[in-house]
């Protein structure tokens, strides 16, 4: 969800105004994605690297999850959304963790769209964490090196049920992956939106889906094989 800061600065606002506007976009896009039948939506809300930002900007960002859930949790429950988190939650202020944990618990038995918030998240850190979990299993005598395969590795990531990513949308006119879901995006289609996140709308999401639908996903096969699997 890149471009909050630039969106604000271009309008002569403080960067934090961009993050607040970005939260409004989160509200709209979550609603639209669930209406359009998206199975999993993962939002990159705060990266491991974002901890190096000025304290006042971090404070504003840390105030948003509570505000968001205070307003949106009832609707998320009505829509049957299931909320999940990935990342190093233990680094977040206690009240933010509490708001997140409450949302996760309250929606735990829902079966609608999975809405994942990546907070204090880094793709490399997630891979290291998965490795650490596997080493613990090994320590307890439960893992032969030869038995380790991709499926078992994926089962030790932060959200083991998360499927591979089909479509990665990057806003903010950038063409980078920025340490997002590194394992899960192995075969993702990348779409970059020429929009700052606060101005990303339903029509932009639909345009990204249209672009995705035009792509031919080959997963290493030839074009002919991909068309007749
Ligand atoms: C990157 O834009 C965006 C972020 C660091 C924060 C994203 C967070 C939100 C959109 C709100 C999250 C809401 C909830 C409910 C958790 P940037 O500031 O790096 O933009 P720039 O590249 O233009 O400076």
């Amino acid at each position: 969800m890149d471009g909050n800061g630039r969106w604000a600065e271009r309008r002569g606002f403080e960067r934090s105004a961009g993050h607040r506007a970005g939260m409004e976009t989160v509200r709209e896009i979550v609603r639209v994605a669930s209406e359009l039948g998206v199975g999993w939506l993962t939002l990159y809300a705060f990266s491991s690297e974002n901890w190096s930002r000025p304290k006042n900007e971090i404070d504003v960002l840390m105030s948003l999850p509570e505000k968001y859930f205070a307003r949106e949790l009832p609707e998320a429950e009505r829509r049957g959304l299931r909320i999940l988190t990935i990342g190093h939650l233990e680094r977040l202020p206690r009240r933010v963790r509490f708001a997140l944990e409450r949302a996760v618990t309250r929606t735990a038995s829902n079966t609608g769209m999975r809405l994942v918030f990546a907070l204090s998240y880094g793709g490399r850190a997630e891979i290291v964490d998965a490795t650490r979990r596997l080493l613990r299993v090994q320590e307890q005598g439960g893992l032969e090196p030869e038995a380790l395969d991709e499926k078992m590795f994926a089962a030790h990531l932060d959200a083991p049920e998360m499927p591979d990513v089909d479509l990665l949308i990057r806003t903010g006119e950038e063409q980078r992956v920025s340490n997002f879901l590194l394992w899960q995006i192995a075969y993702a289609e990348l779409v970059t939106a020429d929009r700052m996140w606060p101005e990303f709308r339903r029509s932009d999401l639909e345009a990204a889906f249209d672009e995705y639908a035009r792509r031919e996903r080959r997963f290493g096969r030839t074009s002919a094989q991909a068309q007749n699997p």
Side-chain angles (χ1 to χ4, degrees):
M1 301 190 285
D2 199 16
N4 293 348
R6 277 166 292 162
W7 178 89
E9 281 160 4
R10 284 174 193 173
R11 286 162 179 75
F13 302 150
E14 294 200 5
R15 295 176 55 82
S16 47
H19 297 314
R20 289 194 192 93
M23 188 180 86
E24 297 306 318
T25 304
V26 171
R27 296 178 66 210
E28 176 180 346
I29 293 304
V30 165
R31 199 169 309 134
V32 171
S34 102
E35 276 167 21
L36 293 176
V38 170
W40 285 74
L41 176 68
T42 304
L43 298 172
Y44 202 2
F46 194 86
S47 73
S48 318
E49 291 73 30
N50 287 151
W51 288 113
S52 59
R53 294 208 172 186
K55 183 178 177 315
N56 63 340
E57 188 173 338
I58 293 178
D59 287 347
V60 170
L61 283 165
M62 289 298 140
S63 72
L64 296 179
E66 275 175 289
K67 290 197 179 105
Y68 176 81
F69 289 119
R71 275 163 74 179
E72 295 298 306
L73 190 54
E75 186 178 335
E77 289 186 286
R78 262 198 310 281
R79 286 181 180 276
L81 304 191
R82 180 162 173 208
I83 293 163
L84 300 162
T85 60
I86 54 174
H88 278 221
L89 259 51
E90 76 284 355
R91 292 189 71 185
L92 302 175
R94 194 145 38 132
R95 48 166 224 287
V96 181
R97 245 175 19 234
F98 182 75
L100 289 163
E101 283 163 7
R102 185 161 165 268
V104 168
T105 311
R106 290 255 299 256
T107 61
S109 55
N110 290 349
T111 56
M113 185 177 82
R114 274 36 172 189
L115 173 59
V116 187
F117 287 93
L119 283 153
S120 191
Y121 175 85
R124 285 184 174 176
E126 185 185 21
I127 290 171
V128 171
D129 289 341
T131 309
R132 196 174 291 124
R133 288 175 196 126
L134 282 159
L135 287 172
R136 283 202 200 103
V137 176
Q138 192 194 30
E139 222 171 52
Q140 288 154 16
L143 176 63
E144 289 298 323
E146 293 70 28
L148 179 61
D149 58 12
E150 292 179 13
K151 199 167 162 216
M152 187 187 292
F153 192 89
H156 290 80
L157 292 167
D158 285 4
E161 340 67 278
M162 183 190 287
D164 278 356
V165 172
D166 290 317
L167 170 63
L168 170 59
I169 303 173
R170 166 100 198 202
T171 59
E173 298 168 355
E174 307 288 359
Q175 312 217 345
R176 286 190 289 272
V177 169
S178 295
N179 206 11
F180 188 50
L181 299 178
L182 294 183
W183 175 276
Q184 300 88 335
I185 62 166
Y187 280 99
E189 295 295 327
L190 304 182
V191 171
T192 51
D194 288 339
R195 289 263 188 281
M196 300 297 130
W197 176 252
E199 58 201 10
F200 190 81
R201 293 285 169 273
R202 179 187 188 112
S203 54
D204 300 306
L205 186 66
E206 288 173 342
F209 290 169
D210 288 346
E211 169 68 32
Y212 173 82
R214 281 193 293 274
R215 303 270 177 95
E216 181 186 65
R217 303 189 77 196
R218 294 204 291 273
F219 301 99
R221 294 168 299 189
T222 65
S223 189
Q225 286 172 322
Q227 282 161 30
N228 300 293

